[in-house]
Amino acid sequence: MNKRIAVCPGSFDPITMGHLDIITRAAAMFDELIVVVMNNASKKYTFSPSERKQMIEKCVTDLPNVKVDIDDGLLADYAAEQNACAIVKGLRAMSDFEYEFQMALTNKKLNPNVETLFLTTSAQNMYLSSSMVKQIADMGGDVSDFLPEVIHDDVLKRISSKN
Ligand code: PNS
């Protein structure tokens, strides 16, 4: 039987506990999960794509069916190249909905063979975002509950070196 492959795309600038929760849950649903660092044209990034990829890799060492990749093209094309049957995304508050719905419909139009699946965020990550974490870290706040432990120091070092 064909392997069931899903892609989990995002900016991951950096990966947070919220992302890791979605990745872990999605990995349990598919034979292979490809976490792909992509470009969101409306964002300015703190970390380079390869730094973001390396941080994700550090966080998923105990998830053997998870692969991490970088792509700067269209998500719909990437999903087709990887033979993925699904795009998995986390959904937090209602504020995510409109934007995610628009992307899901656009991706379906561009690639009718791939379904977008939304996993509801865990309650403790409802309002967690990479940009919030960076803002708190930048102002010296404690982000240890928001970042996977294995990347916590890397993120802080990098953010403090920018100040
Ligand atoms: O973590 P983000 O920033 O919400 O992720 C958004 C991302 C990177 C998944 C989205 O911008 C994307 O799919 N970018 C790839 C380019 C693309 O396919 N754009 C059209 C989306 S409808």
Side-chain angles (χ1 to χ4, degrees), residues 9-12 38-41 43 45 73-76 89 99-100 103 106-107:
S11 292
F12 304 107
M38 298 202 94
N39 186 42
N40 179 341
K43 284 188 180 168
Y45 292 115
L74 281 174
L75 173 56
K89 302 216 66 186
Y99 167 68
E100 293 294 349
M103 281 204 294
T106 308
N107 286 325

PDB file of all heavy atoms in Angstrom, residues 9-12 38-41 43 45 73-76 89 99-100 103 106-107, ligand 1:
ATOM      1  N   PRO A   9       3.378  22.749   6.728  1.00  0.00           N
ATOM      2  CA  PRO A   9       4.153  23.913   6.311  1.00  0.00           C
ATOM      3  C   PRO A   9       4.066  25.040   7.335  1.00  0.00           C
ATOM      4  O   PRO A   9       3.113  25.116   8.123  1.00  0.00           O
ATOM      5  CB  PRO A   9       3.421  24.336   5.032  1.00  0.00           C
ATOM      6  CG  PRO A   9       1.988  24.029   5.352  1.00  0.00           C
ATOM      7  CD  PRO A   9       1.987  22.809   6.249  1.00  0.00           C
ATOM      8  N   GLY A  10       5.047  25.923   7.293  1.00  0.00           N
ATOM      9  CA  GLY A  10       4.952  27.089   8.162  1.00  0.00           C
ATOM     10  C   GLY A  10       6.202  27.919   8.080  1.00  0.00           C
ATOM     11  O   GLY A  10       7.162  27.554   7.391  1.00  0.00           O
ATOM     12  N   SER A  11       6.179  29.031   8.803  1.00  0.00           N
ATOM     13  CA  SER A  11       7.349  29.897   8.876  1.00  0.00           C
ATOM     14  C   SER A  11       8.320  29.383   9.942  1.00  0.00           C
ATOM     15  O   SER A  11       9.527  29.473   9.782  1.00  0.00           O
ATOM     16  CB  SER A  11       6.919  31.322   9.237  1.00  0.00           C
ATOM     17  OG  SER A  11       6.192  31.896   8.174  1.00  0.00           O
ATOM     18  N   PHE A  12       7.799  28.951  11.062  1.00  0.00           N
ATOM     19  CA  PHE A  12       8.602  28.380  12.156  1.00  0.00           C
ATOM     20  C   PHE A  12       9.759  29.313  12.530  1.00  0.00           C
ATOM     21  O   PHE A  12      10.908  28.898  12.569  1.00  0.00           O
ATOM     22  CB  PHE A  12       9.148  26.992  11.772  1.00  0.00           C
ATOM     23  CG  PHE A  12       8.090  26.007  11.358  1.00  0.00           C
ATOM     24  CD1 PHE A  12       7.940  25.628  10.034  1.00  0.00           C
ATOM     25  CD2 PHE A  12       7.221  25.467  12.301  1.00  0.00           C
ATOM     26  CE1 PHE A  12       6.956  24.716   9.642  1.00  0.00           C
ATOM     27  CE2 PHE A  12       6.235  24.558  11.924  1.00  0.00           C
ATOM     28  CZ  PHE A  12       6.107  24.192  10.594  1.00  0.00           C
ATOM     29  N   MET A  38       8.698  27.324   4.904  1.00  0.00           N
ATOM     30  CA  MET A  38       8.325  28.015   3.663  1.00  0.00           C
ATOM     31  C   MET A  38       8.350  29.519   3.871  1.00  0.00           C
ATOM     32  O   MET A  38       8.550  30.006   4.982  1.00  0.00           O
ATOM     33  CB  MET A  38       6.930  27.563   3.214  1.00  0.00           C
ATOM     34  CG  MET A  38       6.863  26.094   2.913  1.00  0.00           C
ATOM     35  SD  MET A  38       5.497  25.671   1.831  1.00  0.00           S
ATOM     36  CE  MET A  38       6.274  25.717   0.244  1.00  0.00           C
ATOM     37  N   ASN A  39       8.107  30.215   2.773  1.00  0.00           N
ATOM     38  CA  ASN A  39       8.148  31.669   2.834  1.00  0.00           C
ATOM     39  C   ASN A  39       6.736  32.243   2.833  1.00  0.00           C
ATOM     40  O   ASN A  39       5.945  31.965   1.946  1.00  0.00           O
ATOM     41  CB  ASN A  39       8.955  32.174   1.625  1.00  0.00           C
ATOM     42  CG  ASN A  39       9.166  33.653   1.696  1.00  0.00           C
ATOM     43  OD1 ASN A  39       9.462  34.197   2.765  1.00  0.00           O
ATOM     44  ND2 ASN A  39       8.992  34.334   0.578  1.00  0.00           N
ATOM     45  N   ASN A  40       6.456  33.043   3.855  1.00  0.00           N
ATOM     46  CA  ASN A  40       5.196  33.780   3.923  1.00  0.00           C
ATOM     47  C   ASN A  40       5.521  35.218   3.511  1.00  0.00           C
ATOM     48  O   ASN A  40       6.242  35.926   4.227  1.00  0.00           O
ATOM     49  CB  ASN A  40       4.663  33.722   5.360  1.00  0.00           C
ATOM     50  CG  ASN A  40       3.375  34.483   5.549  1.00  0.00           C
ATOM     51  OD1 ASN A  40       3.036  35.341   4.749  1.00  0.00           O
ATOM     52  ND2 ASN A  40       2.656  34.170   6.611  1.00  0.00           N
ATOM     53  N   ALA A  41       5.024  35.614   2.343  1.00  0.00           N
ATOM     54  CA  ALA A  41       5.417  36.896   1.747  1.00  0.00           C
ATOM     55  C   ALA A  41       5.115  38.092   2.651  1.00  0.00           C
ATOM     56  O   ALA A  41       5.730  39.147   2.505  1.00  0.00           O
ATOM     57  CB  ALA A  41       4.717  37.063   0.400  1.00  0.00           C
ATOM     58  N   LYS A  43       5.694  38.253   5.855  1.00  0.00           N
ATOM     59  CA  LYS A  43       6.490  38.258   7.094  1.00  0.00           C
ATOM     60  C   LYS A  43       7.944  38.608   6.847  1.00  0.00           C
ATOM     61  O   LYS A  43       8.498  38.281   5.797  1.00  0.00           O
ATOM     62  CB  LYS A  43       6.443  36.870   7.756  1.00  0.00           C
ATOM     63  CG  LYS A  43       5.138  36.580   8.457  1.00  0.00           C
ATOM     64  CD  LYS A  43       5.195  35.297   9.254  1.00  0.00           C
ATOM     65  CE  LYS A  43       3.863  35.054   9.949  1.00  0.00           C
ATOM     66  NZ  LYS A  43       3.780  33.695  10.505  1.00  0.00           N
ATOM     67  N   TYR A  45      11.601  37.753   8.502  1.00  0.00           N
ATOM     68  CA  TYR A  45      12.078  36.689   9.380  1.00  0.00           C
ATOM     69  C   TYR A  45      13.302  37.088  10.202  1.00  0.00           C
ATOM     70  O   TYR A  45      14.154  37.841   9.740  1.00  0.00           O
ATOM     71  CB  TYR A  45      12.389  35.449   8.546  1.00  0.00           C
ATOM     72  CG  TYR A  45      11.132  34.838   7.957  1.00  0.00           C
ATOM     73  CD1 TYR A  45      10.922  34.801   6.589  1.00  0.00           C
ATOM     74  CD2 TYR A  45      10.151  34.329   8.788  1.00  0.00           C
ATOM     75  CE1 TYR A  45       9.765  34.257   6.049  1.00  0.00           C
ATOM     76  CE2 TYR A  45       8.987  33.782   8.269  1.00  0.00           C
ATOM     77  CZ  TYR A  45       8.798  33.751   6.901  1.00  0.00           C
ATOM     78  OH  TYR A  45       7.653  33.210   6.393  1.00  0.00           O
ATOM     79  N   GLY A  73       8.940  27.657  -2.916  1.00  0.00           N
ATOM     80  CA  GLY A  73       7.917  27.754  -3.960  1.00  0.00           C
ATOM     81  C   GLY A  73       6.517  27.735  -3.370  1.00  0.00           C
ATOM     82  O   GLY A  73       6.299  28.102  -2.209  1.00  0.00           O
ATOM     83  N   LEU A  74       5.589  27.303  -4.204  1.00  0.00           N
ATOM     84  CA  LEU A  74       4.188  27.223  -3.771  1.00  0.00           C
ATOM     85  C   LEU A  74       3.950  25.939  -2.983  1.00  0.00           C
ATOM     86  O   LEU A  74       4.415  24.854  -3.377  1.00  0.00           O
ATOM     87  CB  LEU A  74       3.265  27.211  -4.987  1.00  0.00           C
ATOM     88  CG  LEU A  74       2.970  28.528  -5.680  1.00  0.00           C
ATOM     89  CD1 LEU A  74       2.155  28.280  -6.945  1.00  0.00           C
ATOM     90  CD2 LEU A  74       2.224  29.494  -4.755  1.00  0.00           C
ATOM     91  N   LEU A  75       3.172  26.063  -1.928  1.00  0.00           N
ATOM     92  CA  LEU A  75       2.859  24.899  -1.102  1.00  0.00           C
ATOM     93  C   LEU A  75       2.124  23.816  -1.904  1.00  0.00           C
ATOM     94  O   LEU A  75       2.400  22.622  -1.758  1.00  0.00           O
ATOM     95  CB  LEU A  75       2.026  25.359   0.102  1.00  0.00           C
ATOM     96  CG  LEU A  75       1.451  24.297   1.004  1.00  0.00           C
ATOM     97  CD1 LEU A  75       2.526  23.368   1.552  1.00  0.00           C
ATOM     98  CD2 LEU A  75       0.678  24.950   2.149  1.00  0.00           C
ATOM     99  N   ALA A  76       1.200  24.246  -2.767  1.00  0.00           N
ATOM    100  CA  ALA A  76       0.422  23.271  -3.549  1.00  0.00           C
ATOM    101  C   ALA A  76       1.356  22.441  -4.449  1.00  0.00           C
ATOM    102  O   ALA A  76       1.172  21.224  -4.590  1.00  0.00           O
ATOM    103  CB  ALA A  76      -0.622  24.005  -4.397  1.00  0.00           C
ATOM    104  N   LYS A  89      -2.328  21.761   9.296  1.00  0.00           N
ATOM    105  CA  LYS A  89      -2.054  23.050   9.928  1.00  0.00           C
ATOM    106  C   LYS A  89      -2.737  23.100  11.286  1.00  0.00           C
ATOM    107  O   LYS A  89      -3.752  22.447  11.507  1.00  0.00           O
ATOM    108  CB  LYS A  89      -2.569  24.201   9.061  1.00  0.00           C
ATOM    109  CG  LYS A  89      -1.949  24.198   7.678  1.00  0.00           C
ATOM    110  CD  LYS A  89      -1.683  25.564   7.123  1.00  0.00           C
ATOM    111  CE  LYS A  89      -0.634  26.332   7.865  1.00  0.00           C
ATOM    112  NZ  LYS A  89      -0.505  27.709   7.391  1.00  0.00           N
ATOM    113  N   TYR A  99      -7.942  33.583   7.377  1.00  0.00           N
ATOM    114  CA  TYR A  99      -6.701  33.462   6.611  1.00  0.00           C
ATOM    115  C   TYR A  99      -6.427  31.994   6.229  1.00  0.00           C
ATOM    116  O   TYR A  99      -6.104  31.681   5.080  1.00  0.00           O
ATOM    117  CB  TYR A  99      -5.588  34.053   7.483  1.00  0.00           C
ATOM    118  CG  TYR A  99      -4.175  33.789   7.055  1.00  0.00           C
ATOM    119  CD1 TYR A  99      -3.669  34.347   5.885  1.00  0.00           C
ATOM    120  CD2 TYR A  99      -3.325  33.016   7.850  1.00  0.00           C
ATOM    121  CE1 TYR A  99      -2.355  34.115   5.508  1.00  0.00           C
ATOM    122  CE2 TYR A  99      -2.009  32.792   7.478  1.00  0.00           C
ATOM    123  CZ  TYR A  99      -1.530  33.336   6.301  1.00  0.00           C
ATOM    124  OH  TYR A  99      -0.238  33.102   5.938  1.00  0.00           O
ATOM    125  N   GLU A 100      -6.606  31.109   7.186  1.00  0.00           N
ATOM    126  CA  GLU A 100      -6.334  29.690   6.924  1.00  0.00           C
ATOM    127  C   GLU A 100      -7.342  29.112   5.928  1.00  0.00           C
ATOM    128  O   GLU A 100      -7.006  28.289   5.083  1.00  0.00           O
ATOM    129  CB  GLU A 100      -6.372  28.877   8.232  1.00  0.00           C
ATOM    130  CG  GLU A 100      -5.246  29.204   9.193  1.00  0.00           C
ATOM    131  CD  GLU A 100      -3.850  28.814   8.683  1.00  0.00           C
ATOM    132  OE1 GLU A 100      -3.746  28.093   7.664  1.00  0.00           O
ATOM    133  OE2 GLU A 100      -2.875  29.241   9.300  1.00  0.00           O
ATOM    134  N   MET A 103      -6.338  30.205   2.480  1.00  0.00           N
ATOM    135  CA  MET A 103      -5.188  29.435   1.979  1.00  0.00           C
ATOM    136  C   MET A 103      -5.603  28.013   1.610  1.00  0.00           C
ATOM    137  O   MET A 103      -5.160  27.467   0.593  1.00  0.00           O
ATOM    138  CB  MET A 103      -4.083  29.386   3.026  1.00  0.00           C
ATOM    139  CG  MET A 103      -3.287  30.663   3.069  1.00  0.00           C
ATOM    140  SD  MET A 103      -1.632  30.405   3.734  1.00  0.00           S
ATOM    141  CE  MET A 103      -1.999  29.971   5.390  1.00  0.00           C
ATOM    142  N   THR A 106      -7.436  28.071  -1.686  1.00  0.00           N
ATOM    143  CA  THR A 106      -6.513  28.372  -2.786  1.00  0.00           C
ATOM    144  C   THR A 106      -5.662  27.146  -3.099  1.00  0.00           C
ATOM    145  O   THR A 106      -5.471  26.775  -4.270  1.00  0.00           O
ATOM    146  CB  THR A 106      -5.599  29.566  -2.413  1.00  0.00           C
ATOM    147  OG1 THR A 106      -6.429  30.632  -1.979  1.00  0.00           O
ATOM    148  CG2 THR A 106      -4.761  30.018  -3.584  1.00  0.00           C
ATOM    149  N   ASN A 107      -5.168  26.505  -2.061  1.00  0.00           N
ATOM    150  CA  ASN A 107      -4.331  25.310  -2.290  1.00  0.00           C
ATOM    151  C   ASN A 107      -5.134  24.184  -2.933  1.00  0.00           C
ATOM    152  O   ASN A 107      -4.622  23.433  -3.772  1.00  0.00           O
ATOM    153  CB  ASN A 107      -3.686  24.855  -0.982  1.00  0.00           C
ATOM    154  CG  ASN A 107      -2.551  25.786  -0.583  1.00  0.00           C
ATOM    155  OD1 ASN A 107      -1.833  26.304  -1.443  1.00  0.00           O
ATOM    156  ND2 ASN A 107      -2.392  26.020   0.707  1.00  0.00           N
TER     157      ASN A 107
HETATM  158  O1  PNS B   1       3.563  29.984   9.705  1.00  0.00           O
HETATM  159  P1  PNS B   1       2.863  30.807   8.637  1.00  0.00           P
HETATM  160  O2  PNS B   1       3.632  32.082   8.343  1.00  0.00           O
HETATM  161  O3  PNS B   1       1.415  31.071   8.956  1.00  0.00           O
HETATM  162  O4  PNS B   1       2.886  29.885   7.319  1.00  0.00           O
HETATM  163  C1  PNS B   1       2.335  30.352   6.121  1.00  0.00           C
HETATM  164  C2  PNS B   1       2.891  29.559   4.941  1.00  0.00           C
HETATM  165  C3  PNS B   1       4.426  29.695   4.890  1.00  0.00           C
HETATM  166  C4  PNS B   1       2.510  28.102   5.086  1.00  0.00           C
HETATM  167  C5  PNS B   1       2.243  30.158   3.644  1.00  0.00           C
HETATM  168  O5  PNS B   1       2.588  31.514   3.519  1.00  0.00           O
HETATM  169  C6  PNS B   1       2.640  29.389   2.410  1.00  0.00           C
HETATM  170  O6  PNS B   1       2.032  28.392   2.094  1.00  0.00           O
HETATM  171  N1  PNS B   1       3.713  29.855   1.714  1.00  0.00           N
HETATM  172  C7  PNS B   1       4.211  29.207   0.520  1.00  0.00           C
HETATM  173  C8  PNS B   1       3.844  30.001  -0.747  1.00  0.00           C
HETATM  174  C9  PNS B   1       2.406  29.716  -1.152  1.00  0.00           C
HETATM  175  O7  PNS B   1       2.038  28.600  -1.478  1.00  0.00           O
HETATM  176  N2  PNS B   1       1.576  30.776  -1.085  1.00  0.00           N
HETATM  177  C10 PNS B   1       0.174  30.678  -1.397  1.00  0.00           C
HETATM  178  C11 PNS B   1      -0.617  30.155  -0.217  1.00  0.00           C
HETATM  179  S1  PNS B   1      -2.305  30.118  -0.582  1.00  0.00           S
END
